Amino acid sequence: SLIVAAGVVIPTMNVDAGETNTESGSENVTVYGEAPVKGKYFDYTAKLYVTVDKNNKILAVEDAGTDYGEGNLTYWENVKNGLNNKKGFKDAFNGLDESKIDTVDTITTATFSWNAIKVAIKESFKQLSAKRAAITRIKEYQPASAADQNVIDAAKKYCIADINTATDVSKLDKIVEDAIKEIDSGKLADRHAEEKLEDDGDLYPYTLDQAIAA
């Protein structure tokens, strides 16, 4: 069978099971922000994941699945990767805190998109307190009765990853509650399931790459 997994790539949080409370990067948090990009010939929403450290300094900014539509690819690539010796959003904001976001030079050939990037990053900072509180809550949770330590570690790892990828902070309580239920039950829920396609005899003559292309 072919196994297909789809998703948005964001900066990886270092939260391996068993090391949730001790890793040096465990205080990093990924937050989500978006902002409209509107002009005479375009109308879409810039969507970003922003990872910050314990001092609220930006470590990384990544595209969170922005649908920039037809005709806007060049502009989006310019604001993402940079142009004319100016860094794109993947690098331009690294090391800055919220107060310095507006000081970054504009990429003049994509002004609307670049301004939206700044707004989206500032919006993402509004999630920080809620996400930090949720992460602290699951880290500190201990079951009332004896539980499998492997289940505890794995549930906390998955919970922190889900908190970091959440775009809506109103869902954080449920994410934490679900993890607590797993810990208390001693059994992990089925997570990160991959979509499996049924075998098709027509695919057998192909290599994997050829089958995917077909």
Side-chain angles (χ1 to χ4, degrees):
S1 297
L2 292 178
I3 299 176
V4 179
V8 177
V9 177
I10 68 167
T12 303
M13 293 293 94
N14 202 348
V15 290
D16 289 339
E19 300 178 344
T20 308
N21 294 306
T22 58
E23 284 293 312
S24 60
S26 64
E27 294 184 77
N28 297 343
V29 181
T30 297
V31 287
Y32 171 82
E34 61 180 47
V37 184
K38 291 187 178 183
K40 185 175 181 179
Y41 302 108
F42 47 85
D43 185 355
Y44 64 96
T45 301
K47 301 177 180 181
L48 300 176
Y49 278 120
V50 181
T51 301
V52 300
D53 65 15
K54 64 181 180 180
N55 298 313
N56 292 351
K57 297 285 185 68
I58 295 173
L59 297 176
V61 179
E62 295 290 338
D63 187 355
T66 300
D67 181 7
Y68 40 76
E70 295 183 14
N72 298 313
L73 174 61
T74 299
Y75 298 105
W76 188 252
E77 288 297 313
N78 287 347
V79 297
K80 181 178 181 180
N81 300 312
L83 183 70
N84 297 330
N85 297 319
K86 290 185 178 180
K87 295 178 179 179
F89 67 70
K90 289 182 65 176
D91 303 300
F93 300 92
N94 292 355
L96 303 182
D97 59 28
E98 186 178 9
S99 67
K100 300 292 180 58
I101 292 169
D102 284 328
T103 67
V104 177
D105 287 344
T106 298
I107 295 179
T108 54
T109 57
T111 304
F112 286 94
S113 298
W114 192 251
N115 288 341
I117 292 298
K118 291 182 176 181
V119 173
I121 294 175
K122 287 186 285 188
E123 283 296 308
S124 75
F125 272 77
K126 295 178 180 180
Q127 292 191 343
L128 264 180
S129 60
K131 287 202 169 187
R132 283 215 167 98
I135 290 173
T136 298
R137 182 183 171 199
I138 192 60
K139 279 184 177 181
E140 294 180 349
Y141 180 75
Q142 294 297 327
S145 56
D148 186 329
Q149 189 62 45
N150 289 329
V151 172
I152 294 174
D153 292 340
K156 289 186 176 185
K157 180 192 76 169
Y158 287 129
C159 181
I160 291 172
D162 289 343
I163 290 169
N164 279 313
T165 57
T167 59
D168 183 354
V169 292
S170 70
K171 300 183 184 301
L172 297 183
D173 283 343
K174 185 177 187 306
I175 291 172
V176 175
E177 290 296 335
D178 286 346
I180 289 174
K181 288 178 182 177
E182 289 179 322
I183 292 171
D184 290 344
S185 70
K187 182 179 179 180
L188 293 175
D190 184 25
R191 292 176 177 273
H192 309 298
E194 294 172 313
E195 179 185 359
K196 294 184 178 180
L197 303 182
E198 293 183 1
D199 286 333
D200 184 335
D202 291 337
L203 297 180
Y204 290 144
Y206 298 97
T207 65
L208 179 59
D209 287 342
Q210 291 171 326
I212 291 172

